[in-house]
Amino acid sequence: MEYVTFSGRATRADHWLTVYAAFFALIAMGAAAGRFGESAGVIIGLLIVLPAAIVNVATTVRRLHDIGLTGWLVLLGIVPI
């Protein structure tokens, strides 16, 4: 499972693949909400988006390692301004 490791490096293609996967997961969540109802769409969306978010954070940490920064800087993204 290379996609959930937080050490090492990630290529630019790996990073954008996870960004696009998260984007299409949100589209799938919206489609599921429209098709099966809002509550089912939320459950399906969480099953899709949570794993995609973990992979996205791991890839972002590895991209930060590529430019010589610490991966802990990802936490700044969740701090409200």
Side-chain angles (χ1 to χ4, degrees):
M1 284 229 189
E2 178 184 326
Y3 290 107
V4 291
T5 59
F6 288 87
S7 63
R9 299 182 177 256
T11 64
R12 196 175 289 149
D14 287 340
H15 176 68
W16 284 109
L17 179 68
T18 60
V19 170
Y20 291 142
F23 175 73
F24 288 122
L26 288 175
I27 290 175
M29 183 177 73
R35 174 81 170 118
F36 300 112
E38 187 175 334
S39 61
V42 169
I43 292 170
I44 292 170
L46 287 176
L47 291 175
I48 294 171
V49 171
L50 286 178
I54 293 170
V55 171
N56 196 3
V57 168
T59 307
T60 303
V61 166
R62 291 195 320 257
R63 287 299 292 166
L64 284 171
H65 291 166
D66 287 343
I67 59 174
L69 296 174
T70 180
W72 291 102
L73 289 174
V74 172
L75 295 178
L76 290 177
I78 61 171
V79 175
I81 297 176

